[in-house]
Every structure is written in structure tokens, then in C-alpha cells.
Amino acid sequence: MNAIFTTPPRPFDVTALFPQLAPLARTATRLHPRPGAPTVHDSSVGGPLLWPADEPWPYCEEPHDRHAALRINSPADIRLQRRVLAAAAGRRHLDPEAPERTPEEQETLALIRAGRPWFDGPIPLVPVAQLYTRDMPLPCPPDADLLQVLWCPFDHEMAHPKTALFWRSSATVTDVLDAPPEPPIVQDGWYLPEPCLFSPEQVTEFPNPMELDKELRDQLDDRSRWEAIDPAQYNAYADDPGELYLNNLCTAPGWKTGGWTRWSPTDPVDRACPECGTEEVPLLTIASSEWDGGSATWIAEEDRPTPGPPPLGARDGNFTLIDIAGGNNLQLHVCPSSPYHPHFELLQ
């Protein structure tokens, strides 16, 4: 696992103002992915998977739209581009007068930006995340202690990657696949995660306002109910106190397991399991950032501004370098009756 990361306490106890929220509290596990060198025995993003050598690697057999991508590259192209740009940024930080790019860097980037020819055929899925139950709570089936998430590195329905979940018992994997196949091409590099280790941290969440009853929503929008708190915390939201709750008090941004669904920009939708009808619950949030301008109170204490450029150009805590539909999240929901039932994908 990675270093410890600590979310600051919430600006105040929202249940003191709104006691009806107390029984609705849920525990979420913020994962805080940070650059690292994971092994098959680690919980990670974009790291190697504990994949049985005798189990076929999954492929996406569906057609892919060559016009959906701005540029087509190989995974090796994307990784090289990231490192060239990071090296240039580091050099400019040390010497602001240094050239923005060396001739060699310019040549390398030009070749990468020229792209690769289109490939028609099945695409090997890309490892997205590996989660061990020893590191975080998961609704695993009784015979499993490990969740592996893979996806196709191209947009599918609803303009996001199509994911596949694999639950397994780590103790049964004795011979590990050494070199999984890689896609010959990927879409713009948005769906090729940079290897990161997790730093799990449990936090308390409350429902998005759209999942509350009308009486409680009206109370959250009532300015007079908020006057008892520190004006410094309230004044910025005086015209819309509901935003104070939405941005700072209900659901944590970033990668996480469990908790409540982070609805935005759409309203809540039906999440009934297609197999048994049970309402599916949040499993994993795959995020394009760990914070933004509206959620700065969630920035971990250890992430406060430091000198120097962020690793590989990461912004807003996006150390995985995943970018889903222009900075959105992909939230995976699972059936509480059986994790083996079809899961639900929500783009928010």
C-alpha cells in the first residue's frame, strides 16, 4: 500500500443541524491512488493482475468507432508521451529559461501525434483496478477475496468504456499470467491508467440532496437553518446553502468504494438489477480527479500545495491520468443479492 492520506474533518457536524441525516450515514472508502510500482499482490490502479495463467484473457468483440477518437495510438506511445512531457515540465521548473522542448522531444512527440493506423478486430481489455478485501470492505461473494476490474479502451454506450468484473479467490491462483496481451491501439490515452497504489481511508457520507425527501431538501435550502455555523464556512454559500451540503458534506469526490451515489449532472435513475430486480448499490467509483474547485475541503492534508510540477502532469489529484467523458466519474453498482449478477455503470 501507499503512504497514509488524511481527509480533513468536515467543516462541521451536519447531523447536529439536520438530525434526520444521522440514520442515513454510510461509510465510503476513499482510495487515494498515487503513483507507484504495484505487483500482482497489491491493490492498485493500472497495475498487474493476479490473473491465472490458464484462464483466457478477456477481449472486447464489439465494433469500435474509429471516428470517436481524436487520435489513435498504441499503449507504448501514450506512456512515452507522458514521460516526455513530464521530463520537459520538470526541466522547465528547474530552469524557466530552458527550451519548452528539446529537438529530440519535438521529434518524438510529432511521431506520436501522427497516430497509428486503425485496427479492426477484437481488443484485449485493459486492467483498471485490482482490489483485495484485506485492504478495503467489498461486497465479495463468500468464495472470493479479490475484485478485478477491466475495460475496453474505447467508448461504448453512453460515451464511456465498457467494464468487466472478475471476482476470485487469491489463494487459488498459483500460476500467474506473466505477459497479458495489450491492445494494439487505444482511444486518445484517456482510458490507459497510470500504475498507482491505493491508500484506503474510511469517511462518512450522506445522500445526495436528490435522494432525500422533499421536507429535508427544503430544510437544506433554508438559510436560517445554517446561521448557527461559523460564518466563514457559510458566507460563500449564502445564496445557495444547498451547495454547501452538496460540495462539502454529502459525498466524497475521487476514487472510492461503497458510500452513496454521487449524482451529477443527471437525476437519480433506476438501478434495479436486471436479473433479480434488487436495487444495486455503489461498488467502485472510477474518477477523473480527486477534487475540483468546488470540493477543495476534501483535499487530503498530505496533498496541500507543494513546489514543483505534479507527477506526469496530473491535475486535481488525477494521478491515474484517466479522463472519463471530459472529467466525469464512472460509478459501478453491484447487486447486493449476488455480485455475480450483471453490474450497472453510471456516468456522472
Side-chain angles (χ1 to χ4, degrees):
M1 304 307 287
N2 217 331
I4 300 299
F5 285 83
T6 311
T7 299
R10 296 303 78 213
F12 53 88
D13 179 8
V14 70
T15 61
L17 289 180
F18 306 97
Q20 306 97 307
L21 287 172
L24 302 177
R26 286 184 184 174
T27 298
T29 303
R30 301 191 76 191
L31 299 178
H32 300 297
R34 296 297 184 272
T39 72
V40 297
H41 303 295
D42 293 311
S43 294
S44 67
V45 173
L49 303 184
L50 189 76
W51 193 272
D54 60 354
E55 182 175 325
W57 190 261
Y59 282 70
C60 180
E61 305 280 351
E62 297 183 12
H64 302 97
D65 183 2
R66 72 175 66 200
H67 303 295
L70 299 175
R71 190 172 69 247
I72 299 297
N73 287 113
S74 70
D77 292 337
I78 298 302
R79 296 183 185 112
L80 178 58
Q81 176 180 263
R82 289 173 178 174
R83 277 146 187 80
V84 168
L85 294 175
R91 185 177 61 251
R92 291 271 291 175
H93 173 69
L94 295 175
D95 179 9
E97 302 301 319
E100 185 173 357
R101 306 277 190 273
T102 67
E104 294 79 7
E105 289 169 342
Q106 293 279 29
E107 181 179 359
T108 298
L109 293 175
L111 289 172
I112 293 173
R113 287 166 181 162
R116 298 271 177 168
W118 183 252
F119 172 82
D120 275 316
I123 297 289
L125 299 193
V126 171
V128 178
Q130 177 165 267
L131 310 170
Y132 283 91
T133 57
R134 65 168 186 261
D135 299 323
M136 64 208 67
L138 290 171
C140 274
D143 58 345
D145 65 344
L146 175 62
L147 168 63
Q148 294 168 331
V149 182
L150 298 89
W151 66 21
C152 174
F154 284 87
D155 282 331
H156 284 261
E157 275 188 77
M158 303 300 292
H160 63 70
K162 184 177 182 180
T163 57
L165 307 184
F166 295 86
W167 302 91
R168 65 175 80 253
S169 168
S170 59
T172 64
V173 183
T174 55
D175 190 8
V176 180
L177 181 65
D178 287 332
E182 279 207 324
I185 55 174
V186 296
Q187 178 179 312
D188 300 310
W190 297 333
Y191 307 139
L192 185 69
E194 192 66 20
C196 289
L197 290 164
F198 289 130
S199 299
E201 176 202 23
Q202 292 193 336
V203 297
T204 300
E205 292 191 337
F206 298 96
N208 181 283
M210 291 185 285
E211 295 204 80
L212 300 174
D213 61 46
K214 184 179 184 304
E215 179 183 358
L216 190 47
R217 289 200 308 270
D218 289 343
Q219 291 180 14
L220 289 172
D221 287 330
D222 182 356
R223 300 180 192 179
S224 66
R225 297 292 296 261
W226 297 89
E227 291 177 352
I229 69 173
D230 182 357
Q233 298 290 351
Y234 171 73
N235 287 345
Y237 298 90
D239 293 333
D240 189 356
E243 284 292 315
L244 174 58
Y245 175 78
L246 180 65
N247 289 335
N248 300 279
L249 302 171
C250 62
T251 54
W255 284 71
K256 65 182 180 181
T257 61
W260 283 92
T261 304
R262 188 176 170 84
W263 298 106
S264 174
T266 68
D267 291 345
V269 297
D270 178 48
R271 288 151 287 161
C273 172
E275 190 159 321
C276 70
T278 305
E279 182 176 292
E280 299 204 354
V281 297
L283 171 67
L284 173 67
T285 298
I286 301 169
S288 298
S289 64
E290 191 160 311
W291 63 80
D292 58 26
S295 56
T297 64
W298 291 98
I299 299 176
E301 298 286 3
E302 295 78 7
D303 282 320
R304 298 299 160 176
T306 56
L312 295 177
R315 302 295 180 193
D316 293 338
N318 182 21
F319 298 101
T320 68
L321 301 187
I322 288 173
D323 187 356
I324 299 171
N328 286 290
N329 299 331
L330 186 62
Q331 299 178 309
L332 308 183
H333 292 67
V334 71
C335 179
S337 297
S338 173
Y340 293 119
H341 288 177
H343 68 285
F344 183 84
E345 299 170 336
L346 178 69
L347 180 66
Q348 292 291 328

